[in-house]
Amino acid sequence: MRIIGNDWDDILGNEFDKPYYQELRSFLDSEYKSRTVYPLPQYIYTALRLTPYKDVKVVILGQDPYHEPGQAHGLAFSVNKGIEIPPSLVNIYKELHDDLGCTIPHHGCLNGWAKQGVLLLNAVLTVQAHRANSHKGKGWEQLTDTIIQKVNEKEDPVVFILWGANARSKKQFITSQKHLILESVHPSPLSAFNGFFGSRPFSKTNRFLQENGIEPIDWQIR
């Protein structure tokens, strides 16, 4: 079954045919018909479409999509141009500036990172409007855990950036010693001053990539 349209379809194999995914599809069909759900269906797999498996260098894990109008477009922490930058992304940009001196951009679209091999993956890929975590426990976690396990199997070293308790709970699936795990509290305004600011994840990521002969990420959003 061709769901993504690139090598992820082969990597995930028959995952989309499994009973849990069929139940998830039925649930989503009902939700999209009866409620306001984000992102729009065509954007659910944006992260996988923009970052093919063969290109993954970095994984940044989020929780679930933004749940206000116009925000979610399938990339963790990202919003489309023209949408107000959410507080967590504001803090990510502040740390990026302090870490690498990058200019703080005027928009929150992270497509540029995704196209360079940064997989911006939420643990849950859909959400009801105004209700964070409303699609938790419906089956998405099984799929995204599999995605993390598949990236763990890559021959090339990968950097896994885990911000917050939800992301850090996925550490159990990252077993290969060749990968780098960077973890801290979430960049949310509620926790950023407790260890996110000053953690320097971007420079640490690029140093690791370069040490392993991998092209570093240009983190500057344009």
Side-chain angles (χ1 to χ4, degrees):
M1 182 184 297
R2 305 300 287 179
I3 298 288
I4 312 302
N6 58 30
D7 58 358
W8 276 112
D9 288 310
D10 295 326
I11 293 296
L12 293 173
N14 66 346
E15 203 69 23
F16 300 117
D17 297 322
K18 292 182 177 179
Y20 86 87
Y21 189 81
Q22 297 305 313
E23 291 176 13
L24 173 62
R25 282 194 62 181
S26 296
F27 167 74
L28 292 175
D29 286 344
S30 174
E31 285 284 282
Y32 275 102
K33 288 175 183 175
S34 61
R35 305 176 188 272
T36 301
V37 175
Y38 301 123
L40 293 173
Q42 61 266 36
Y43 298 125
I44 291 174
Y45 291 111
T46 298
L48 299 181
R49 291 194 175 110
L50 289 183
T51 312
Y53 180 80
K54 65 179 177 59
D55 295 336
V56 175
K57 302 177 183 180
V58 181
V59 179
I60 297 180
L61 286 176
Q63 181 173 294
D64 64 345
Y66 295 124
H67 51 79
E68 297 303 323
Q71 291 182 315
H73 68 122
L75 297 180
F77 296 104
S78 179
V79 293
N80 276 316
K81 292 182 179 180
I83 301 297
E84 183 178 359
I85 302 173
S88 291
L89 185 53
V90 169
N91 287 339
I92 291 170
Y93 283 167
K94 286 179 180 177
E95 178 62 19
L96 179 59
H97 173 73
D98 292 344
D99 188 5
L100 291 176
C102 291
T103 302
I104 295 178
H106 299 294
H107 66 83
C109 182
L110 304 181
N111 283 10
W113 291 357
K115 292 176 181 178
Q116 294 182 73
V118 181
L119 181 63
L120 295 159
L121 181 68
N122 279 314
V124 173
L125 301 187
T126 55
V127 68
Q128 281 183 21
H130 319 300
R131 290 190 61 203
N133 276 328
S134 50
H135 284 181
K136 182 178 181 180
K138 301 299 183 181
W140 280 126
E141 293 90 345
Q142 189 167 340
L143 177 64
T144 55
D145 287 353
T146 299
I147 291 169
I148 294 166
Q149 291 169 328
K150 293 296 185 181
V151 176
N152 178 63
E153 295 169 5
K154 279 178 70 80
E155 292 185 9
D156 293 329
V158 174
V159 181
F160 289 84
I161 299 177
L162 312 179
W163 290 328
N166 280 288
R168 294 165 91 169
S169 70
K170 305 296 187 184
K171 187 177 178 179
Q172 62 183 306
F173 302 115
I174 309 165
T175 58
S176 175
Q177 297 299 309
K178 64 188 155 191
H179 302 314
L180 175 66
I181 299 173
L182 299 175
E183 50 184 321
S184 76
V185 299
H186 196 275
S188 159
L190 297 175
S191 57
F193 286 97
N194 294 323
F196 175 74
F197 288 134
S199 60
R200 304 181 68 84
F202 307 103
S203 61
K204 289 177 181 176
T205 292
N206 278 356
R207 187 179 307 116
F208 177 81
L209 294 176
Q210 289 175 305
E211 287 172 350
N212 285 278
I214 300 170
E215 184 75 19
I217 304 298
D218 178 3
W219 294 103
Q220 179 65 66
I221 295 291
R222 295 172 174 83

